[in-house]
Amino acid sequence: MKSRKRVLIIKGVLLLIDLSVILPVALVFSVYFGLFGKLESKAELKNIQSYVASEVLSEEGKILGKYYWENRSTVAFEEIPPVVVEALIATEDARFYEHNGVDAIGLMRVFFKTLLMGDKSSGGGSTIGQQLAKNLFKRENHGVLSMPVNKIKEAIHAVRLNSVYSQDEILALYLNTVSVGEDTYGIKNATMRFYSKPLDSIRIEEAAVLIGMLKSPTAYNPRLHPSRSLKRRNVVLNNLVKNNYVSKEIGDSLKKIPLNLNYKNAGRYGDIAPYFLVQIEELGSKILKDLKKDNGESYDIYRDGLKIYTPINYQMQMNAIVAVEKQMRNLQSLFNRHFKSSAAYTKLVNREVEKSARYKELKERGLGEDEINKVFDTPVPMNIFDWENDEEVNLSPLDSIKYYLKILHNGFLAMQPNTGEIKAWIGGNDYSYFQYDHVTSKRQVGSTFKPIVYATALEQGVEPCDYYSNERKIYDEFEAWSPRNSGDEYEGKYSVKGALANSVNVISVELLFEAGIENVVQTARDMGIYSEIPAVPSIALGVADISLLEMVTAYCTFANGGESVAPVFISRIENRKGEVIYESKQTKGKRVFSQQTAYYMTEMLKGVVNEGTANRLRSRYGLNLDMAGKTGTTQSHADGWFIGFTPELVAGAWVGADNPSVHFKSIRHGQGAATALPIWAYFMQECKSKEVCKPYINGKFKFPHHLNEMPDCESFKENNVVDKVQNWFTRDKRLRKERREKRRKERRRN
């Protein structure tokens, strides 16, 4: 009986041994033959491409930002510093060059030391190839068999990867796909995120920090857990010593160095041109819809590793950032000192409270006004935008609304007038706080619209030295509307040139009627303004809501000899093979007005700078460039504008609060010459000091020799032309029309 029992026990043990061998083998074969999902073939692995972020580049090839589902950039093995590779191999797979993707010795070590002896410090059994397979192919859920099935898949893929790629290529693939947390993938991006430097500048101790993070990106994040990260870094340094990559003396000295992070998270759109990148994302996606890859699929801006080249000049963009920050920092400080609360402001605050998501959510919960007011009066920790500090403060929601209502915003844009290429784009103070783009948003444009009126009038036969009376009139046919001048002065006469230089409102309206309202609207359309322009006489004073992008585009027509241009956002797009799949085509602009008119307008706008409302560009800011431009200020100083140009660059600036009812109380501080013009001036000062920008600003205006030179309006005065013009004002409209027709015919003959 005993012997029979012994036999049964032996048979049971043998059966268990058989099962312990057969079942794992059966599981391996089941995975291999696809019973747990498809495995990638060697042919497919040869063409494996992980999702790679698309890069947006300046005209010099510098990265402005990226688009991605996973923030990943690729780098060739030759570009990876040896210290990174050594730290990786020493820490993750010391026998990397000795196995075929699966390390049998490593597996034995795990089995005996980790599983049987409980030594967790002995390391894992996954090779770099297996970890690469894990990065490339996400693990699947197979119930209780999930872990063994996924591990077997990774082992099979690792062996296949090892058969189609060299070991250096596998290392590069791995280092391009690893995650270091914070939605950041690849050693190149990790170096930029935590040390703000290119990969080729990484130091040994810095590489050790990043390689140490691979074990657990969150647990060993040096920003979140510096002491834990430091210990892990030193483990990596010990591994470098242990595997004879560095000497013990060097390793010991490196362990004494602190983390010394230079952390920089620029956000999804970077911190150089975030507002511009939002525009490129939308436009680029539209372009790529019609572009097909070899497999017939459309390109994906977030996954296909494209290079999107833009005409943005990196140095000019940096100059614009400096100029905007310099002016807005000073201007906000001034505004805060001058701002005084009022009953109208209190009403505005109350309206903003009721529009807020917090208020609506509390209302939906059934809270009464007293309870809601208590919530809005209770301070809470929050980060607020500030030009001086960027730190957490305790502020009540009500005070937060009051604070943000008083923030002044800005927009700045620079374009090349003969090509339409955009060279700099600043959409606001800080994209991380304010996503509203003030280059594309629409505000009343004030006197910056006047040059369009004047250009149309010149085309209709008006001359720069025609004199108009500076008298205030009442237009009964327009509900007794009576435009006023900024300083309420209505004496004497101005030449057309002088009226533009001094931004005289009543003469601008007179010229609007001379030119014809419909003609002025059509000129604006032809110059690139697509916003609605009401057919009313007040458009001469800039009541239309138009974007900075449209206005700068329109001013390009003046600098471009009377021909319009279209803005160019994207120069070309390359796929990850470096093949050009899209290239911007230069289209000939429309002739909007004659070269003669363009020449006269440029000279007249130079007068605005030399002796008119923008003269502080020379007197205060010391700019000795050949430049022209126009200031603009809207009702109650709610909007400040300046658009100016040199022969090779047109740039414009806008400044104002989000709500037009929040503004400076005096025109001294609130006019465009005081708010927007300094941004333009600082930008040009920065450009003057940078060699790469000088060709855009140092040129001289040149016009064909056959044009009539700009007359000296003062000499017309001396020849009693003023008296003749006085008599002309008393003549009927028929004679005035004949005079315009005669001038038009003469201009056509010339």
Side-chain angles (χ1 to χ4, degrees), residues 605-620:
L605 289 168
K606 285 168 69 175
V608 175
V609 171
N610 293 334
E611 61 260 355
T613 57
N615 69 83
R616 64 182 72 188
L617 285 173
R618 299 200 187 282
S619 61
R620 180 177 299 181

Side-chain angles (χ1 to χ4, degrees), residues 125-342:
S126 291
T127 64
I128 288 174
Q130 288 171 271
Q131 292 178 47
L132 171 59
K134 178 184 172 183
N135 293 341
L136 293 174
F137 313 112
K138 302 303 179 188
R139 288 180 168 178
E140 298 173 350
N141 185 4
H142 299 288
V144 295
L145 294 176
S146 292
M147 182 55 71
V149 167
N150 284 313
K151 285 286 189 181
I152 293 168
K153 282 185 175 182
E154 288 161 10
I156 295 170
H157 280 139
V159 173
R160 290 181 180 178
L161 283 166
N162 213 64
S163 67
V164 296
Y165 290 106
S166 70
Q167 288 168 308
D168 288 350
E169 289 171 331
I170 288 174
L171 288 170
L173 275 170
Y174 178 80
L175 287 168
N176 283 323
T177 57
V178 291
S179 169
V180 291
E182 300 191 2
D183 196 26
T184 301
Y185 296 81
I187 194 68
K188 179 180 178 182
N189 287 346
T191 307
M192 189 57 69
R193 170 66 63 92
F194 291 98
Y195 292 102
S196 299
K197 62 169 63 175
L199 180 58
D200 60 8
S201 300
I202 196 169
R203 300 168 61 89
I204 298 175
E205 69 276 11
E206 295 166 346
V209 169
L210 300 180
I211 294 301
M213 291 176 68
L214 303 184
K215 183 176 182 179
S216 180
T218 301
Y220 297 114
N221 185 308
R223 179 178 65 88
L224 301 175
H225 308 290
S227 59
R228 200 182 297 167
S229 174
L230 191 65
K231 290 178 181 177
R232 177 64 182 164
R233 181 203 70 176
N234 290 345
V235 169
V236 177
L237 291 173
N238 286 337
N239 289 334
L240 283 167
V241 173
K242 178 182 175 182
N243 288 275
N244 299 316
Y245 288 115
V246 298
S247 67
K248 187 176 185 306
E249 292 74 21
I250 292 176
D252 290 342
S253 65
L254 291 174
K255 284 190 283 186
K256 296 176 183 177
I257 299 175
L259 286 178
N260 293 331
L261 292 185
N262 186 7
Y263 181 85
K264 190 173 186 181
N265 183 0
R268 188 167 186 85
Y269 297 106
D271 58 358
I272 304 298
Y275 295 92
F276 183 69
L277 260 72
V278 174
Q279 300 294 321
I280 296 298
E281 183 176 28
E282 182 178 350
L283 179 59
S285 296
K286 288 180 181 177
I287 291 172
L288 293 171
K289 271 185 181 179
D290 299 323
L291 300 176
K292 306 296 182 184
K293 295 185 282 189
D294 293 340
N295 61 7
E297 295 178 357
S298 295
Y299 282 95
D300 190 322
I301 198 170
Y302 305 104
R303 299 176 176 181
D304 284 334
L306 306 172
K307 291 190 182 298
I308 304 171
Y309 287 87
T310 73
I312 288 284
N313 181 284
Y314 191 88
Q315 185 60 60
M316 281 192 195
Q317 183 70 17
M318 298 305 295
N319 292 349
I321 292 171
V322 170
V324 163
E325 183 171 342
K326 183 175 182 179
Q327 169 61 359
M328 296 308 295
R329 186 188 296 271
N330 295 335
L331 196 66
Q332 189 66 58
S333 176
L334 179 67
F335 186 74
N336 292 342
R337 293 198 302 272
H338 282 257
F339 182 84
K340 292 181 180 178
S341 186
S342 63

Side-chain angles (χ1 to χ4, degrees), residues 58 61 118-119 198 229 319 428 457 479 493 529 538 555 578 655 661 706 721:
S58 68
D119 181 6
S229 174
N319 292 349
E479 301 178 353
K493 295 178 174 64
I529 294 174
S538 56
Y555 271 61
V655 171
S661 60
H706 70 271
V721 173

Side-chain angles (χ1 to χ4, degrees), residues 490-503:
Y490 305 98
E491 296 179 353
K493 295 178 174 64
Y494 284 91
S495 67
V496 170
K497 178 184 177 183
L500 182 60
N502 293 282
S503 204

